[in-house]
Each structure stands twice: as structure tokens, then as C-alpha cells.
Amino acid sequence: MSDASGMNHWIDPNGVVHVVFDRRGDKVNLLTPGALQELGELLDSIRGRDDVRGLIFKSAKPGNFIAGMDIEAIASFTDAFKAAEGARFGQDVFQKIEDLPVPSACALNGACLGGGAELALACTVRVAADSTAVKIGLPETQLGIIPGFGGTQRLPRLLGLMPSLDLILSGRTLDAKRAHRLGLVDLVVPEAYLERETLRLMLKAAGGLKRRRPLMARLVEITPPLRRFVIGRARKAAEAKARPENYPAPFRALEAIEAAFSVPLHQGLDLEARIVGELVPTRTSKNLMWLFKSQSALKKDAGGIAALPRKVRRAAVLGAGIMGGGIAQLIADKGIPVRLKDVRGEALLAALRQASKIWREQVVRKRLTPRGMRQKLGFIAPTLEETGFSRVDIVLEAVVENLEVKQKVLAAMEELIGARAVFASNTSTIPISDIAARAVRPERVVGMHFFNPVHRMPLVEVIAGQRSSPEAVSTVHGFAIELGKVPVVVRDSPGFLVNRILMLYFNEALRLLAEGVPVTATDRAMEEFGMPMGPFALMDEIGLDTGQHAAAVLEGAFGKRIGSATPLLQALVSAGRLGKKNGKGFYGYKNGKRTRSDEAVSKLAGAGAPLQLPVETLQERMILAMVNEAAICLEDGVVREPRDVDVAMVYGTGFPPFRGGLLRYADSVGPAVLVDRLSRLADAHGERFRPAGMLRDMVREERRFYPA
Ligand code: NAD
């Protein structure tokens, strides 16, 4: 039988029911209300049959079991009662699996996430293929909700308190071996034997299955004071990461997990459903789900370009500095051979050291084996010579930010690389068309702008120059996805999108400093808004010399509106303040750790007496400066839609995800209020705040960035 949900089933001669998930027209399986309904009916129909000896769930999709519940179905709930009912519906279906008089099993051949993992938890046994495609986890807290189909109750009952706290609060996934070690899967087998072994184990389970967990762990769970102590510690750790008012989900998950040890299953399930109901309609969960959907959509959209990407089998990186080294590490991490060239031997050594450091941290956290680390390191081939470039599919240029140098490097490379290889520049500010101006094959030149630190920041701006070919742009877009990044296609213009908007933010922070507002007050105000760090701490990370250079390029291109940051940054750089890299910027640094802000900075900024302004005023000036520039970027066609601004700001600068991005935040304020405040700021502080035409149009036409 087959239906719209793509779920087939049949009964084999031994009386085993095989349920195969194969969602139509999609590469992954998702649970939908329809699929759940159908599964429930199937379970009802086999419950009373005495010719049925067992039930096995499997997937027909390569590398995917079930990727989770369809997010659209969750996001569509707007009231708590209905959302809780939705959770109860799924819980009831999975309870039917657990209540079957015969054993059930899952054959996990790939991603098994969220609702998929909850289905697996309701089965008697779980068997996973020994494949890198297998990822098992409950990522719901990352979407602002908690697992709602029994995950918060069955995972703790199976694994115990501590592993469940870790998995549910972090939302991280486990590979097959780690899932086996924790007891989340019962067996890991070569993929070719997956079905056979799952059947064998399931039939064996009919005679009863013994699972043992360490005595000490069980003692903690059944002793209320010990249990409360462990949960209290987890709450403190969660508080250190996020505020409950901004990200309530991990804190609500703690309540549900505690219930798994203190009340019967049906009561725990009821609490779980109620909490899901309360979380689904919150602004945080709506924003997090929207971001998730948007970044998935951007992976399918190369800026409207239909050309197919070329597969990158070999890569080269030019410049082994902060960025080039980071990019080479990322490429090697994905198992792609990469030639790393610099003109200085020390730069190559430093890049290899830094790459090793990142992988060593993974080894310490048991995410990588020492052998795996050696293999990855082996993918980087450092060189000072211009050899070994003829067979690369892409060259990533990350040399110094200087147009002439970049043009020279491009000319030299065009002699060495194949005619179809792509030359991608990581420039932060220089238009790609300028870099390609004297190129022999300008159609192969594209921008691929990573953010620092490369292994952490998920955004890549993909920049099509005036003459870049659709295929070259599509190749860079596809390569960014292969490297695990979120690509946003941006028009070729100075500073592209993110750095242009950030410059307004930095400029406003510097103006506040010049007016006498202490560095720490400004930084604290933005941390309170939800930024991972304040503007001064961020400028120190980036480097004040880099910032000064970017400011000069943007001021040259956009004039007064962009600001007047250059003289102050120049004064700081001349005074030997380069930021974190030399231990001295707006703050002092010792062994890479921030110590305190330096009073000398206020003097260099020409600040008078210390000025205290309300937190809201500080936030308003810095955020509205960015909102206004983002609107101008949209007018200029730098990106096509507000979604692109929001995804780029969240994934490129850490703009608070719970706010859904800069323009979703702007919508929550409302265009009329924004224009009013911007006009007042323009009167008080200067024309740079004069509201963008687009914002005024929005007020007139009663529109927002996003339809309601
Ligand atoms: P960096 O100074 O750390 O590294 C540049 C490296 O390029 C140096 O090791 C230098 O020896 C090497 N180099 C110079 N000329 C070369 C040549 N002809 N061939 C090979 N190597 C050469 O600089 P960075 O911060 O890594 O920046 C590199 C590029 O990335 C710049 O265009 C910059 O604007 C851009 N970028 C920087 C950041 C950041 O935060 N630092 C972020 C995004 C993009």
C-alpha cells in the first residue's frame, strides 16, 4: 500500500510487519499529521492479529531515516491548547507502538531526528548502520520547543538522567557509535546487514531484553535530593548560556525530564504536551523555526541562478593567515584535499598549528579519534611554491586586503589553474568586479566571503561579480553548503551586506565613546539586547587595523552616511592598539582573555566627562542605525529580500536568534515607530539617521518587511 505520506507496509511470511518510510518528492522523510494518522490506523489494525510476530520500521531514503516532524505543521499552531493537542496526538500514536503485544524495531540507516528519534524510542529495539550518515538526536530545544512525542519521558527512562539532560538541553546529535555507547541504539552493524540484524534482534527481544545501567547513576535518579542537585547544576549551566526569558525551552525541558523520574509515564507525557503547547506560540520559537526554514531555503537558492554547481574535488587556498588558515582547516575537515600557499613559512606553520588545535579540542571531547585527526591534517598540503595548482577545482584567495595584491595573485593563478577552475576571493570589502577587472577569465571570478572564526561562523556571502558566470556562482554556493555553511547570495558592492551594516553599528558605538559613554556601558547594553558580545569587544576580535581599513573603503564608497570612524580607529592603531591579536585594543588582554577596558581609549577618542545614558538609548542608537542601513541595502538591491538580511545578520554576526534577525526585530517595533524614532535621532545627532525611503514608504502603505 502507498499513500500521500509515502508510507508503505507489508507482512512477510514470518508474520513481521515491515513499515517503510518513503516520502514522495523529497530526499528526506518527515512526519506529518497525515503520516501519523495513517501510522496510528495501521497500529490499530495489527494489534489484535495473532499472525503478527513483530514490527520493523525502515526507510527507503538513502542516508535518512526520519528527519523529524514537518516544521510547517508545528509552526502553524498559534494557540497553546491546539499545540498541546497536536503533541498528544503524536504521543498517542507512539504509545501504540510501545503497547503492541509483539516487539518492534527501527533500522536506522541515516538521520533520525526529533519526532523520528521519538518513534525509535517507542520501539523495543534500535539498530543503526555503521555509517557516517547516521545522526540521532532531539534538536527541539534549538527550535525553541521541547521534544513533544514522548522524547522527554522515554529518553531519560532509557539512558538515565545525565545523558538525557545533555542531549535534550543541547539538542546535539550522536553518531551511531556514540549512540551505541550511551545505550540509545542496541547494535551497530555494517549497512549491508542492517535489515537482517534488526529483524534478528527484534525477534530475540520477544523473549525479553535486559538493559543495565550503572548502579551509581540509578541511585542518583531515585534519590530526590541527589536528583535535584544534578538538575540544579544543569540549570546553572543553561543559565550561563542563555537567559530563560529569551530562550525558555531548555529550562522547560528540565521540568519535563525531572518528571520522567518522579511521576508515571502518562503524567509525564501530559506535562510534556502542556509545555510544548506553551512554547510553540512564543515569539522565540516562531523566530527560531523561521530561521531554520529560511536557512534551509537559502541552501536551495543560489540567488535565482539555475546553473548546476561543479563538484569540488580538490581545492587551494592562497594566504595562510587568520582566514586562509581557517578556510583550509574547514575544507580538510570535510575530507577534501587542499593546497595551502603562503609567501611566509611561519604563516603556514601557524595555520597548521591552529588547525591542529581545533581538531585536538574535538579529540579531547571525544568527537574525533587521534587517527581521524591525523587523516584530516593530511588533507592540507602546505606550500611556498607555485606548484600543484593545475588540477584544483577552486582557488580561495585570502591574502591581504589590497586590490593590487589581489589582482596580481589572480593573474599569477590564471596561468596555473585550469580554465574551468573557479577563483573565489574572501575579500571583506573590495568589489569582485574590481578584482576581476584585468582577469583573462573574469567569468570564473566570484566572491566567497567567510566570517571569523571560520570554523564557528555559519555564514558565507556568495558574491557574483558583473561578469561571473552562473555556473561559477553556483559552484561557490554549492561548495559553501558542502562545507556546512549557510550561503547568502549578495550583490557585488563595497562591504557587501554584513560588513556594511556592521560598520554603522561600530560607527555609532565609536560616536558614543567620543561623547563620553564608557566602552563597558555600550558593550553591556548590547549584550543585554542579546548580542554574543558588544561592539567594542567585537572590534577587538576583528582587529582595529582591519576595521580601520574596512571603514576607509566604506566611507570612500558611501560617504558621510556610513560614518566617520576612520580618524578614531587610525589614532588607536597608531597608538599600537590592534585589538585582541596584540593584547591591546579597547580592552586589555592577557593570554587571549579580556581583562578590562582601558581609560586611555576614552582620551584617544577625545571624550569629555563620562556620560551616562539609559541602556535603551544606547541600544536604540546602535540598532536603528543598522535597521536603516539594512533598508537602504534592500533599496540598492544588495540582497533580494528581508529574509536574506536576517539570516546573514544572525549567522554572520550572532544577532540574537530569538529575535529572528534585524528586520524581524524591526517589524516587532513597527515601521511607524521606527520612522518616528529615526527622525528624532536625525534631528538630535545628524543626517545619518534620516529614515530610508523604503521605511517611509512602508509607513505610508501600512506595510512591514514581512507580511503578518
Ligand atoms: P592575514 O594578514 O592574517 O593573512 C594574510 C596572509 O596572506 C599572510 O599570511 C600573508 O603572508 C599572505 N600573503 C600575502 N601575500 C601573499 C601572496 N601573494 N600569496 C600567498 N600569500 C600571501 O589576513 P586575514 O585576516 O586572514 O585576511 C585575509 C583576507 O580575508 C583579506 O582579504 C580580508 O579582508 C579577508 N577577511 C578577513 C576577515 C577577518 O576577520 N580577519 C574576515 C573576512 C574576510
Side-chain angles (χ1 to χ4, degrees):
M1 183 200 83
S2 174
D3 86 308
S5 69
M7 199 180 82
N8 307 313
H9 82 273
W10 71 87
I11 304 184
D12 72 18
N14 295 320
V16 174
V17 181
H18 295 244
V19 178
V20 183
F21 295 103
D22 193 6
R23 182 176 155 90
R24 291 224 195 103
D26 206 338
K27 278 196 235 159
V28 299
N29 289 315
L30 292 176
L31 293 174
T32 57
L36 285 172
Q37 169 89 28
E38 199 187 328
L39 178 57
E41 286 163 12
L42 170 67
L43 292 163
D44 287 340
S45 75
I46 60 174
R47 193 164 41 181
R49 286 175 60 163
D50 47 16
D51 58 335
V52 168
R53 289 177 61 208
L55 174 66
I56 168 170
F57 291 103
K58 51 199 181 181
S59 156
K61 304 280 184 208
N64 180 270
F65 178 68
I66 294 175
M69 183 72 191
D70 179 6
I71 206 164
E72 296 287 353
I74 310 173
S76 65
F77 288 115
T78 49
D79 87 77
F81 180 75
K82 291 217 174 85
E85 281 301 294
R88 283 196 188 95
F89 177 63
Q91 287 178 348
D92 289 348
V93 174
F94 291 176
Q95 189 62 44
K96 289 178 190 187
I97 301 174
E98 192 172 299
D99 290 345
L100 283 175
V102 293
S104 52
C106 273
L108 307 177
N109 63 322
C112 172
L113 305 171
E118 293 176 293
L119 182 146
L121 281 166
C123 291
T124 322
V125 293
R126 288 150 293 279
V127 179
D130 185 7
S131 146
T132 50
V134 172
K135 292 188 291 179
I136 310 171
L138 293 168
E140 284 85 347
T141 52
Q142 294 180 356
L143 296 174
I145 57 172
I146 66 167
F149 295 164
T152 67
Q153 302 305 299
R154 291 199 176 93
L155 192 78
R157 282 175 167 82
L158 181 69
L159 303 191
L161 178 60
M162 285 198 254
S164 307
L165 286 171
D166 170 33
L167 289 176
I168 294 175
L169 267 61
S170 71
R172 72 189 175 89
T173 58
L174 298 172
D175 61 25
K177 291 221 169 82
R178 307 192 101 233
H180 182 232
R181 224 175 293 142
L182 279 182
L184 181 48
V185 301
D186 299 287
L187 193 62
V188 178
V189 296
E191 189 147 14
Y193 304 139
L194 179 61
E195 183 163 346
R196 192 186 80 189
E197 289 301 304
T198 310
L199 274 170
R200 192 186 58 75
L201 191 68
M202 181 190 69
L203 293 172
K204 197 170 146 203
L209 200 69
K210 282 213 171 64
R211 290 194 176 94
R212 282 183 202 286
R213 287 196 295 104
L215 187 65
M216 194 54 206
R218 275 182 293 148
L219 200 65
V220 170
E221 287 151 19
I222 58 171
T223 316
L226 289 179
R227 195 171 67 220
R228 279 199 291 274
F229 172 75
V230 171
I231 289 178
R233 219 177 38 184
R235 178 170 289 117
K236 283 218 176 73
E239 278 164 358
K241 284 196 200 137
R243 294 188 190 184
E245 65 272 26
N246 297 345
Y247 296 98
F251 302 92
R252 303 305 308 273
L254 285 171
E255 275 173 56
I257 295 169
E258 172 146 43
F261 298 101
S262 53
V263 299
L265 179 64
H266 72 276
Q267 272 183 34
L269 288 173
D270 184 57
L271 176 69
E272 178 187 271
R274 267 189 287 137
I275 295 175
V276 169
E278 286 166 32
L279 290 174
V280 166
T282 58
R283 192 181 283 267
T284 295
S285 102
K286 294 270 176 248
N287 281 336
L288 295 179
M289 286 191 210
W290 177 84
L291 276 170
F292 178 81
K293 281 191 289 181
S294 300
Q295 59 91 25
S296 310
L298 279 161
K299 289 183 182 166
K300 293 185 188 129
D301 174 10
I305 287 172
L308 285 179
R310 278 188 77 199
K311 175 113 186 99
V312 173
R313 294 202 165 77
R314 283 184 200 82
V317 174
L318 307 177
I322 307 177
M323 296 306 286
I327 296 167
Q329 187 273 336
L330 182 70
I331 296 174
D333 191 64
K334 304 295 175 218
I336 300 170
V338 52
R339 199 141 183 81
L340 175 61
K341 180 185 180 301
D342 204 289
V343 287
R344 297 179 303 121
E346 340 54 290
L348 292 171
L349 282 177
L352 291 176
R353 258 199 311 273
Q354 175 61 16
S356 304
K357 192 174 158 218
I358 295 170
W359 284 317
R360 205 168 308 115
E361 277 165 16
Q362 292 177 12
V363 171
V364 170
R365 290 161 64 209
K366 298 216 159 50
R367 304 274 203 275
L368 183 68
T369 61
R371 186 162 163 263
M373 167 167 166
R374 281 195 299 277
Q375 270 175 348
K376 285 180 192 270
L377 206 50
F379 282 118
I380 306 181
T383 181
L384 292 167
E385 313 290 328
E386 293 194 327
T387 54
F389 291 93
S390 62
R391 292 172 66 210
V392 299
D393 302 297
I394 193 166
V395 177
L396 284 133
E397 172 277 305
V399 304
V400 284
E401 186 76 344
N402 177 305
L403 176 60
E404 233 170 276
V405 176
K406 287 191 191 292
Q407 284 181 338
K408 245 193 225 154
V409 165
L410 167 58
M413 268 298 128
E414 286 195 306
E415 306 255 311
L416 301 173
I417 56 179
R420 294 192 66 198
V422 173
F423 182 93
S425 175
N426 182 48
T427 174
S428 353
T429 47
I430 308 173
I432 299 305
S433 305
D434 293 355
I435 296 174
R438 290 194 228 138
V440 181
R441 294 184 293 276
E443 71 280 4
R444 309 308 294 165
V445 182
V446 182
M448 187 173 192
H449 182 213
F450 289 85
F451 289 76
N452 185 15
V454 176
H455 68 293
R456 289 247 167 81
M457 299 307 281
L459 180 69
V460 167
E461 288 180 333
V462 177
I463 304 117
Q466 277 158 17
R467 291 190 283 169
S468 312
S469 79
E471 190 228 38
V473 177
S474 169
T475 298
V476 168
H477 181 266
F479 190 42
I481 296 168
E482 196 172 343
L483 296 179
K485 299 295 180 192
V486 178
V488 173
V489 176
V490 177
R491 213 196 72 191
D492 193 19
S493 54
F496 314 118
L497 179 75
V498 169
N499 284 344
R500 177 165 159 189
I501 295 176
L502 266 187
M503 193 48 74
L504 274 286
Y505 176 57
F506 291 153
N507 187 50
E508 209 49 41
L510 290 164
R511 281 177 189 265
L512 287 165
L513 175 65
E515 287 169 29
V517 179
V519 162
T520 43
T522 302
D523 271 0
R524 218 175 306 123
M526 292 320 298
E527 280 169 20
E528 266 181 41
F529 182 80
M531 292 291 204
M533 61 177 80
F536 292 109
L538 183 56
M539 281 189 265
D540 273 356
E541 290 284 329
I542 292 171
L544 305 195
D545 47 347
T546 309
Q548 177 205 339
H549 189 268
V553 172
L554 287 164
E555 281 172 36
F558 300 108
K560 279 225 164 61
R561 195 190 69 247
I562 287 287
S564 54
T566 348
L568 174 50
L569 286 173
Q570 203 164 9
L572 288 159
V573 172
S574 307
R577 292 177 179 272
L578 301 184
K580 192 174 171 182
K581 59 183 157 193
N582 78 338
K584 237 168 110 179
F586 293 102
Y587 294 91
Y589 293 84
K590 207 166 187 184
N591 301 324
K593 292 250 173 323
R594 208 184 309 161
T595 49
R596 60 197 176 86
S597 72
D598 205 326
E599 298 207 340
V601 167
S602 306
K603 284 212 184 76
L604 282 166
L611 177 67
Q612 257 197 347
L613 290 177
V615 169
E616 295 74 27
T617 307
L618 301 176
Q619 292 173 343
E620 181 179 86
R621 276 179 62 175
M622 287 180 275
I623 297 292
L624 293 201
M626 287 197 282
V627 170
N628 207 28
E629 190 62 24
I632 299 172
C633 285
L634 282 170
E635 285 171 3
D636 290 355
V638 175
V639 284
R640 289 170 305 158
E641 44 179 308
R643 170 200 70 181
D644 301 358
V645 172
D646 283 343
V647 170
M649 291 304 286
V650 169
Y651 291 104
T653 74
F655 190 90
F658 78 94
R659 297 192 187 273
L662 186 61
L663 300 181
R664 274 178 76 93
Y665 168 73
D667 265 0
S668 74
V669 177
V673 177
L674 283 175
V675 166
D676 177 55
R677 288 193 193 162
L678 279 166
S679 306
R680 279 192 291 114
L681 286 171
D683 294 342
H685 300 285
E687 283 307 296
R688 65 186 185 280
F689 281 112
R690 197 58 68 198
M694 176 184 258
L695 290 171
R696 287 187 310 234
D697 290 348
M698 284 162 63
V699 176
R700 206 173 329 107
E701 294 159 18
E702 296 188 354
R703 248 179 335 108
R704 289 176 187 243
F705 286 109
Y706 296 93

